[in-house]
């Protein structure tokens, strides 16, 4: 079956269908603790038509198709857990159109967020969603990614206006429109964003862009304890101060940054903030934020006024996952990702810290606290199954805690293969509705099988 | 069949199942040109459990269920076009919980937007979405409604965080969570918002609230032609001035306001704007906007600084539909609702105006121009089928124009029964995907049948 499907695909992809071991191995890895599961082959399509043809052939043969972006997902999303064809989108990486007046761009899925913003630089516009990794836009849409600027600009849900999607039977559809809003039927764009390649393969995206702010100010500040840092975030939100970024790192992360990046931060819980707007607005926002921090007893302000200082600050924040991982040589990571109502954030962090401490596993914490979202990065010794089991149990308790506090098991990383076991707990019978939708759109379960939902075929 | 289902329902609803002609007639009407189509009976449930029981019985009997909010929809959404039971949500109209710290409210579907904001007043929070009518929150979610503040606060898509939904088989599910974002599986909240009661009955909503702005400034200004008004909107957006509202009314509407409301507006195209923020920010925004208007050659500024003046301004705007309708006694309305990319807005309005003029049907234009959304309200003489046919043809040409310009046939009113014939033109094969989803979730087509999609059963 596999052989026949692949031979058919090779007739038109030629040497862009690769069956060599190194390429399969490369596409069988993940960023975190998942065991390697190489696909049977890797395809490098260059057009929607090629993707549609590939999927059509796989559909006839009941052969799995697993889309691949930059391979930076954290829950094993792109692992070929049932074998099949890895569909690598790296050759579909162009900006097709920039509609500056409408603040939109039409892109292919394989472009990375950094490459996109480089192309946009001269237009005065930018695309704000910024997960830590330099992920592809297609992958970010598939996992409903977000990042440090979500508190102001939203997630991929808010910034994808329309899609071109190849369905499980090879049909090509377009969702959304160039209008900023629509009430024209079911929100198919929203359904495919976050569906992790299980309902269709994204081959084109229309993105909402934003104007580069006239002025930016950024700062770090430190607190004696994380509860005060969290209370400061809540107060800032309630004062209506429009933050573009408000990030938390705990004292362990501050120490790791000092050791690994040569910074000189007080080894205390920190907030890293940024304001976007007119010169006057940004100044006013920064002043009001400074007042709140003082009232709360925080301090150690370090303003990053020059662009290069700001860039260094956010580059350090974006690299936190890799820096933390490198701080314990020989370790692999399990990245947790819970998100709770902001009023429960202090409790969620406190309980998690206590749990981490008693577990004996290192778990520095960073968080997009304006969204109520935080990550403990659990550092597990490679080849230590006992430590992995302990970390998984810890991660499960975090997810259960998030649900108990009215939140969600994943704020931005997605379900992938890693959080399947928690879906029923979070969603109850609504998880069955997800499975119903999956069966309706992919009756043979060929699109990224084994992710998001469980289907008995 | 109908009789048996209704008798079963009466056993537990008692006199809250009404079969009298006046009540059926009341629920068989719509705000616009659609012929009356009364349901077989009207149910007034008071709890999710009752809704689930009702739907379960209707499912067994294959009997249609049509949810009803305030009856203010404009495309015949709540008409029982195939008979069945009208499920009136007016007795499920409570605020169940206000979570001030998280800026959330949990409400029942039958509460109206004005009643909700009255209850919120003391909290310092408000719910921004404001269609013209005092619609119910459930109805607004079902049609993915928006309004004058969407340019700043988004549509119902952006402001509904979670739902409780009764499915076609009577199961009850919960979607979303109390967290501000989530990547936990398919976005079911987004799927039910805008599904117009065809996929499930909304019985509870978790809403995102916003802080009442510290300061507000509002103004009207006039232009010699609408192209300049539209160019002013585009320039304002591109300057990154954060508008809370930016509304357009044409010279005919200005004249109608003068005649019907006793205002003294120049009878020219107008923009009505509002800014929200800190005192300083609002002043700065208003100044910068004023400069753009002057540069464009607009003027006749009238600032509404007192709350009562602002309230009068927006009450007038919200009542525009009814005021315009009343301006031609004996007429009924056909409310068009196209939305295009902002760069095509001037062209869309110009072509529409020319078409309206040559049609001989009065069609004053109002628009949420910051979103690229505008309405021509076509005034048709009651009982004049020839005029109705001409208005329908005009409306169809508007929708075709919207699609040609990269937009959508409905920015905020929804599809209902009125725009079914245009869905394939806008969505192509994606409309079939909507039907696939409908069949998966409502295989007997009992939930608001005949709306959004066409199902052969």
């Amino acid at each position: 079956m596999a052989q026949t499907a692949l031979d058919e695909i090779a007739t038109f992809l030629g040497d862009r269908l690769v069956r060599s071991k190194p390429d399969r191995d490369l596409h069988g890895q993940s960023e975190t603790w998942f065991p390697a599961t190489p696909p049977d082959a890797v395809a490098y399509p260059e057009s929607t038509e090629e993707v549609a043809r590939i999927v059509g052939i796989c559909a006839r043969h009941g052969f799995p198709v697993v889309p691949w972006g930059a391979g930076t997902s954290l829950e094993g999303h792109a692992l070929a857990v049932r074998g099949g064809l890895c569909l690598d989108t790296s050759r579909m990486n162009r900006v097709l159109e920039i509609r500056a007046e409408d603040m939109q761009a039409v892109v292919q899925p394989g472009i990375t967020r950094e490459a996109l913003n480089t192309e946009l630089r001269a237009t005065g516009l930018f695309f704000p969603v910024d997960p830590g990794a330099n992920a592809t836009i297609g992958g970010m849409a598939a996992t409903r990614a977000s990042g440090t600027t979500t508190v102001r600009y939203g997630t991929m849900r808010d910034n994808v206006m329309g899609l071109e999607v190849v369905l499980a039977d090879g049909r090509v559809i377009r969702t959304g429109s160039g209008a900023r809003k629509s009430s024209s039927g079911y929100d198919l764009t929203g359904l495919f964003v976050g569906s992790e390649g299980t309902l269709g393969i994204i081959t084109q995206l229309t993105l909402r862009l934003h104007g580069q702010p006239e002025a930016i100010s950024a700062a770090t500040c430190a607190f004696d304890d994380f509860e005060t840092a969290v209370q400061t975030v809540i107060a800032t939100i309630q004062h209506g101060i429009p933050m573009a970024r408000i990030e938390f790192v705990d004292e362990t992360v501050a120490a790791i940054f000092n050791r690994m990046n040569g910074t000189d931060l007080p080894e205390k819980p920190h907030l890293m903030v940024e304001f976007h707007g007119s010169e006057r607005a940004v100044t006013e926002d920064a002043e009001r934020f400074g007042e709140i921090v003082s009232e709360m007893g925080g301090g150690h302000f370090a303003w990053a006024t020059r662009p290069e200082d700001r860039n260094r600050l956010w580059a350090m924040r974006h690299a936190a996952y890799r820096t933390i991982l490198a701080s314990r040589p020989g370790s692999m990571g399990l990245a947790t990702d819970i998100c709770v109502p902001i009023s429960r954030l202090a409790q969620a962090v406190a309980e998690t810290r206590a749990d981490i401490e008693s577990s004996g596993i290192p778990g520095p914490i960073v968080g997009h606290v304006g969204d109520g979202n935080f990550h403990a990065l659990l550092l597990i010794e490679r080849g230590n199954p006992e430590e992995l089991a302990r970390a998984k149990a810890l991660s499960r308790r975090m997810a259960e805690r998030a649900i108990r506090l009215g939140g969600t098991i994943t704020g931005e990383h997605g379900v992938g293969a890693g959080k399947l076991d928690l879906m029923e707990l979070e969603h109850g019978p609504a998880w069955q509705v997800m499975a119903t939708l999956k069966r309706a759109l992919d009756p043979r379960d060929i699109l990224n099988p084994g992710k998001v939902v469980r289907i008995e075929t």
Side-chain angles (χ1 to χ4, degrees), chain A:
Chain A
M1 170 185 86
Q3 209 47 50
T4 328
L6 293 175
D7 287 346
E8 268 187 65
I9 293 165
T11 61
F12 61 94
L13 274 194
D15 60 5
R16 288 186 284 111
L17 182 79
V18 181
R19 302 184 224 196
S20 75
K21 189 165 182 321
D23 217 342
R24 292 172 50 222
D25 283 349
L26 192 71
H27 291 83
Q29 290 169 5
S30 96
E31 287 275 337
T32 49
W33 60 271
F34 294 87
T37 49
D40 293 300
V42 184
Y44 294 89
E46 292 181 346
S47 68
T48 302
E49 292 64 37
E50 286 185 350
V51 174
R53 244 175 120 178
I54 291 168
V55 175
I57 291 166
C58 290
R60 267 193 287 113
H61 293 275
F63 192 56
V65 185
V66 183
W68 181 275
T72 54
S73 70
L74 297 170
E75 292 291 355
H77 293 82
L79 293 177
V81 292
R82 296 193 196 157
L85 181 68
C86 174
L87 200 150
D88 183 310
T89 58
S90 58
R91 284 174 182 245
M92 294 176 69
N93 65 346
R94 281 179 305 136
V95 175
L96 300 174
E97 195 184 348
I98 297 174
R99 303 171 186 155
E101 204 166 24
D102 293 313
M103 302 172 86
Q104 296 170 12
V106 183
V107 306
Q108 290 184 309
I111 191 168
T112 65
R113 65 175 181 86
E114 290 179 4
L116 172 60
N117 277 315
T118 302
E119 289 213 37
L120 290 174
R121 202 169 286 158
T123 64
L125 301 167
F126 78 112
F127 186 70
V129 186
D130 65 336
N134 186 22
T136 61
I137 297 293
M140 287 162 60
T143 52
R144 206 184 296 125
S146 54
T148 68
T149 62
T150 295
V151 67
R152 167 115 182 201
Y153 298 99
T155 72
M156 288 304 280
R157 178 182 195 269
D158 309 298
N159 288 287
V160 176
M161 303 181 62
L163 295 170
E164 181 188 74
V165 179
V166 173
L167 300 177
D169 56 8
R171 273 182 303 163
V172 181
I173 62 165
R174 286 174 173 275
T175 72
S177 80
R180 288 174 60 91
K181 66 181 191 184
S182 172
S183 286
S184 182
Y186 308 153
D187 181 7
L188 297 183
T189 306
L191 182 63
F192 286 105
V193 169
S195 68
E196 304 187 6
T198 64
L199 299 180
I201 313 277
I202 296 171
T203 49
Q204 202 181 99
L205 307 94
T206 303
L207 304 176
R208 182 186 302 265
L209 305 178
H210 299 263
Q212 290 167 13
E214 182 190 319
I216 300 176
S217 78
T220 59
C221 57
F223 298 82
D224 287 334
D225 52 74
F226 73 89
E227 287 87 352
T228 315
V230 170
Q231 288 309 322
T232 303
V233 175
I234 292 177
T236 308
I237 292 170
Q238 289 184 335
H239 280 73
I241 301 175
M243 298 160 291
R245 288 169 154 147
I246 189 155
E247 295 286 307
F248 171 79
V249 303
D250 73 5
E251 61 275 28
T252 314
V253 176
I256 290 172
F257 282 168
N258 286 345
R259 181 155 62 89
M260 306 289 287
N261 296 324
T263 51
D264 190 27
L265 300 167
E267 300 197 347
K268 292 182 169 190
H270 273 72
L271 292 179
M272 302 173 161
V273 294
E274 189 165 274
F275 303 100
H276 292 178
S278 69
E279 288 288 353
R280 257 198 287 181
V282 158
T283 307
E284 184 188 12
D285 294 339
E287 276 169 15
R288 293 167 74 201
F289 177 69
E291 285 162 19
I292 293 172
V293 172
S294 299
E295 275 167 34
M296 293 284 179
H300 300 279
F301 263 98
W303 289 96
T305 41
R306 293 183 309 170
E308 55 269 37
D309 295 336
R310 282 201 307 273
N311 291 343
R312 201 174 307 123
L313 174 64
W314 299 118
M316 183 170 79
R317 172 62 191 89
H318 281 132
Y321 173 77
R322 297 200 171 211
T323 307
I324 293 168
L325 207 55
S327 75
R328 191 193 185 194
S331 65
M332 61 183 183
L334 192 160
T336 67
D337 174 41
I338 67 174
C339 191
V340 296
I342 195 101
S343 65
R344 316 307 292 270
L345 182 58
Q347 182 184 351
V349 174
E351 290 182 17
T352 299
R353 283 166 63 105
D355 204 3
I356 288 172
E357 263 168 47
S358 66
S359 78
I361 292 174
I365 290 178
V366 299
H368 312 300
V369 281
D371 307 323
N373 181 206
F374 69 95
H375 314 293
L377 179 57
L378 307 180
L379 296 172
I380 309 150
E381 191 187 18
R382 263 184 206 286
N384 184 336
E386 185 278 328
E387 215 170 89
L388 177 59
R390 249 190 305 148
K392 282 189 187 176
L394 184 59
S395 168
R396 185 177 177 92
R397 287 194 298 277
M398 278 182 72
E400 289 167 349
R401 182 174 303 127
I403 295 168
R404 201 168 59 240
L405 296 175
T408 177
I409 58 173
T410 169
E412 57 184 13
H413 293 173
V415 180
K419 293 207 152 150
L420 265 187
D421 282 345
L422 289 154
M423 288 296 280
E424 187 153 25
L425 194 65
E426 174 168 352
H427 300 287
W431 192 40
Q432 296 310 320
V433 173
M434 295 185 202
T436 301
L437 298 176
K438 165 74 170 175
R439 277 191 297 265
L441 292 182
D442 180 16
R444 296 191 67 177
D445 195 19
I446 64 158
L447 295 177
N448 205 4
K451 315 293 165 59
V452 187
V453 290
R454 277 214 185 90
I455 301 294
E456 327 300 333
T457 43

